[in-house]
């Protein structure tokens, strides 16, 4: 069934592309392409991301004033057309857009819901630069089924920005889906005395003029849109290098002043430890942020996980830093594969506990397995549900799937699989099918039954592996 549908889908695409562009030019029409799709092709989230182009780089030159809650500036998007296009879409929620240019020329645009459609004739393979100038009060996504509030959240002294799964559109226009990774430059202007923190590294000292300070941050490795952040406010900052030589940037809201040294030290130590388990750290710096916005969550923002309104313990720090390899460097391309992020980061917590001489991974597995009435047994984590994306099962049963794999193939093969996964897909995107085939290749075993039980079928697996 699945094959047939994929095939007929492919046939439809071929028909469209072979008719429309060549047919149009034969008839002398000026438009040579078709409209880029409003979604990138994630069946569970049909409007997320966009089709027809691939972003290479974002330059976000944005000012934010915590007093007025006004965000204003220009997002410049360098992209490549992947089809002949007559228009393309950007995801943006709210704001007033004052102008759009493509290739430096004013371009027409329309808006409908969270979709903005920009008119531009672009031939397949060509690169283009689009610039969007906009302003307004950012409004996060609220009351989402199991995520609460996410996106750009104004706080008393600045902003707390955690955008998973699709909240990047609450603060900049773009291709808001993890399948399209890009590098970023952030030029963030805030009132003097406010610190602006983004991903990657600072490009020089902040500069101040007319009562405002501009911080330039560069993330030079590809990043998914939900991991981008511009966290602003009053912060105490500590920087240095880990023992392993990785630059560290730690920042805490003054309310968490007594956490700064610990956040710095634990983040440095755990980044070094994961480098020895998962392979070289994929980015140029590590660190973390503790803000006073009580989200109750942490998010693995690339190079700088953020902890919202609590004192993070080593368990959660080990989780968010493991995500730097699994989720941030190796990213998913469809949300149903989310266990590849959360199952791995949760399993990392179990490994950290074991490394600390506390519960072993086997003991943690046994504790979960003993709970025969846990609702996760009815939720196969290998097909995350769009209305309950971050279900516990994706975390715990996802981690159990990895432990079952470890027990089946043995420690040598297991850690080889994990390291090869991090290496072979570094800075890219990957799927569950690719993970299973790598595990089979490295271990030399058929593992379909194991993954079926742990990832794809309802019910509590009868055996460990
Ligand atoms: N990925 C986060 C974790 O570490 C959970 C999460 C999902 C989240 N969406 C979020 C956190 C939005 C903050 C905001 O498990
Ligand atoms: Zn996580």
């Amino acid at each position: 069934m699945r094959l047939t549908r994929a095939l007929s889908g492919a046939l439809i695409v071929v028909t469209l592309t072979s008719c429309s562009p060549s047919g149009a030019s034969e008839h002398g029409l000026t438009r040579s392409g078709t409209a880029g799709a409003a979604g990138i092709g994630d069946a569970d989230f049909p409007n997320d991301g966009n089709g027809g182009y691939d972003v290479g780089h974002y330059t976000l030159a944005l000012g934010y004033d915590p007093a007025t809650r006004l965000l204003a500036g220009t997002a410049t998007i360098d992209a490549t057309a992947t089809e002949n296009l007559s228009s393309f879409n950007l995801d943006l929620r709210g704001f007033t857009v004052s102008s759009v240019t493509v290739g430096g020329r004013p371009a027409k645009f329309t808006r409908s819901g969270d979709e903005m459609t920009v008119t531009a004739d672009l031939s397949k393979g060509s690169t283009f630069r689009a610039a969007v100038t906009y302003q307004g009060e950012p409004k996060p996504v609220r009351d989402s089924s199991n995520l609460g509030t996410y996106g750009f959240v104004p706080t008393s002294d600045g902003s707390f920005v955690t955008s998973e799964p699709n909240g990047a559109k609450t603060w900049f226009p773009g291709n808001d889906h993890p399948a399209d990774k890009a590098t970023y430059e952030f030029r963030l202007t805030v009132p003097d005395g406010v610190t602006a923190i983004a991903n990657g590294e600072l490009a020089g000292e902040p500069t101040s003029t007319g009562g405002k300070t501009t911080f330039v941050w560069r993330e030079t490795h590809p990043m998914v849109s939900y991991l981008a952040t511009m966290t602003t406010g009053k912060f105490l900052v500590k920087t240095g290098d880990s023992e392993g030589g990785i630059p560290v940037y730690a920042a805490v809201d003054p309310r968490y002043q007594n956490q700064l040294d610990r956040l710095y030290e634990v983040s440095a130590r755990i980044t070094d430890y994961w480098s020895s388990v998962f392979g070289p750290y994929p980015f140029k710096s590590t660190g973390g942020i503790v803000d006073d916005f009580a989200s109750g969550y942490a998010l693995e923002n690339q190079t700088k996980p953020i902890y919202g309104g609590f004192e993070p313990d080593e368990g959660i720090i080990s989780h968010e830093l493991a995500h730097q390899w699994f989720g941030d460097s190796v990213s998913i391309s469809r949300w149903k594969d989310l266990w590849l992020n959360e199952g791995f980061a949760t399993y990392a917590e179990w490994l950290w506990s074991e490394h600390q001489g506390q519960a072993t991974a086997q003991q943690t597995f046994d504790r979960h397995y003993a709970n025969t009435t846990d609702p996760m047994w009815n939720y196969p984590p290998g097909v995350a549900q769009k209305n309950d994306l971050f279900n516990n099962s994706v975390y715990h049963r996802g981690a159990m799937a990895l432990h079952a794999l470890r027990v089946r193939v043995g420690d040598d093969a297991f850690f080889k699989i994990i390291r090869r996964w991090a290496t072979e897909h570094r800075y890219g995107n990957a799927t569950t099918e690719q993970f299973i085939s790598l595990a089979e290749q490295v271990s030399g075993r058929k593992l379909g039954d194991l993954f079926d039980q742990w990832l794809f079928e309802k019910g509590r697996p009868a055996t460990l592996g």
Side-chain angles (χ1 to χ4, degrees):
M1 276 309 283
R2 211 168 263 162
L3 242 177
T4 321
R5 234 179 282 143
L7 262 180
S8 67
L11 280 175
I12 289 169
V13 171
V14 169
T15 315
L16 277 175
T17 48
S18 64
C19 272
S20 161
S22 52
S25 59
E26 270 166 29
H27 293 93
L29 299 177
T30 48
R31 289 212 183 148
S32 57
T34 55
I40 204 166
D42 188 328
D44 293 323
F45 296 85
N47 291 323
D48 282 9
N50 307 286
Y53 66 95
D54 179 57
V55 180
H57 184 74
Y58 291 93
T59 306
L60 305 178
L62 301 172
Y64 185 65
D65 185 345
T68 61
R69 296 189 163 190
L70 198 67
L71 180 74
T74 298
T76 304
I77 298 153
D78 292 315
T80 305
T82 55
E83 297 164 22
N84 289 321
L85 293 171
S86 55
S87 68
F88 63 90
N89 275 24
L90 295 168
D91 302 310
L92 183 66
R93 185 179 173 92
F95 301 103
T96 303
V97 174
S98 53
S99 81
V100 177
T101 62
V102 177
R105 295 161 176 237
K108 291 208 170 86
F109 65 94
T110 57
R111 300 189 65 187
S112 167
D114 296 352
E115 296 289 337
M116 179 160 115
T117 302
V118 179
T119 303
D121 277 320
L122 298 162
S123 52
K124 180 175 176 171
S126 65
T127 57
F128 64 96
R129 170 170 287 185
V132 179
T133 300
Y134 62 105
Q135 63 155 2
E137 185 182 333
K139 297 276 198 299
V141 179
R142 290 190 191 278
D143 304 322
S144 107
S145 51
N146 54 6
L147 286 171
T149 299
Y150 65 93
F152 189 110
V153 184
T155 62
S156 56
D157 63 356
S159 54
F160 177 87
V161 181
T162 50
S163 297
E164 191 180 17
N166 53 10
K169 67 184 172 192
T170 69
W171 64 287
F172 66 94
N175 200 7
D176 193 8
H177 189 280
D180 189 357
K181 301 177 78 165
T183 55
Y184 285 71
E185 179 171 299
F186 305 84
R187 313 182 69 86
L188 308 178
T189 301
V190 288
D192 286 346
V194 174
T195 301
I197 308 170
N199 314 87
E201 297 75 43
L202 270 173
E205 289 296 309
T207 54
S208 202
T209 170
K212 292 184 169 183
T213 307
T214 299
F215 294 76
V216 179
W217 290 91
R218 293 202 182 109
E219 176 49 67
T220 59
H221 293 294
M223 178 164 76
V224 303
S225 53
Y226 73 75
L227 295 171
T229 192
M230 70 171 282
T231 297
T232 64
K234 301 248 185 276
F235 282 103
L236 302 164
V237 175
K238 177 168 177 166
T239 60
D241 288 331
S242 73
E243 278 184 16
I246 302 167
V248 182
Y249 182 103
V252 298
D253 182 280
R255 197 176 134 200
Y256 292 93
Q257 184 163 13
N258 66 355
Q259 294 296 306
L260 181 60
D261 288 345
R262 204 182 55 87
L263 175 71
Y264 174 93
E265 188 274 321
V266 174
S267 301
R269 185 158 43 88
I270 295 182
T271 304
D272 283 346
Y273 180 65
W274 286 153
S275 304
S276 75
V277 177
F278 303 141
Y281 182 65
F283 307 122
K284 285 186 188 153
S285 64
T286 185
I289 304 172
V290 179
D291 202 354
D292 74 340
F293 174 73
S295 74
Y297 276 120
L299 185 65
E300 62 266 24
N301 288 338
Q302 189 157 310
T303 67
K304 286 178 196 68
I306 187 165
Y307 308 91
F310 61 95
E311 298 180 0
D313 61 17
E314 294 197 5
I316 195 160
I317 294 174
S318 75
H319 178 112
E320 306 309 330
L321 290 173
H323 271 308
Q324 303 304 307
W325 284 259
F326 308 111
D328 296 11
S329 169
V330 182
S331 304
I332 55 176
S333 48
R334 342 169 270 223
W335 285 107
K336 69 175 179 178
D337 290 329
L338 185 61
W339 83 280
L340 289 172
N341 296 0
E342 301 305 345
F344 278 58
T346 302
Y347 196 62
E349 287 181 62
W350 301 6
L351 293 174
W352 181 255
S353 160
E354 182 163 341
H355 176 64
Q356 293 298 103
Q358 291 155 9
T360 63
Q362 182 66 48
Q363 286 167 336
T364 309
F365 177 97
D366 291 344
R367 182 165 55 78
H368 286 290
Y369 191 70
N371 186 354
T372 56
T373 58
D374 193 313
M376 74 179 168
W377 303 125
N378 284 321
Y379 186 123
V383 275
Q385 303 299 302
K386 63 176 173 181
N387 294 324
D388 191 10
L389 203 52
F390 292 88
N391 187 286
N392 256 332
S393 172
V394 174
Y395 290 73
H396 296 123
R397 195 168 154 184
M400 294 178 88
L402 287 174
H403 190 72
L405 172 66
R406 179 180 173 186
V407 169
R408 171 84 71 93
V409 304
D411 278 14
D412 283 357
F414 177 75
F415 287 102
K416 201 168 162 200
I417 292 164
I418 298 300
R419 277 194 295 271
R420 274 190 56 181
W421 182 246
T423 310
E424 289 181 9
H425 301 286
R426 182 176 299 165
Y427 310 135
N429 296 87
T431 63
T432 299
E433 289 85 338
Q434 286 174 304
F435 180 72
I436 294 172
S437 83
L438 177 68
E440 290 189 332
Q441 188 197 327
V442 172
S443 67
R445 298 188 187 213
K446 285 267 162 240
L447 298 166
D449 62 319
L450 183 148
F451 287 112
D452 280 349
Q453 284 191 66
W454 284 99
L455 294 180
F456 300 122
E457 288 165 8
K458 280 195 176 186
R460 179 172 171 265
T463 57
L464 203 159

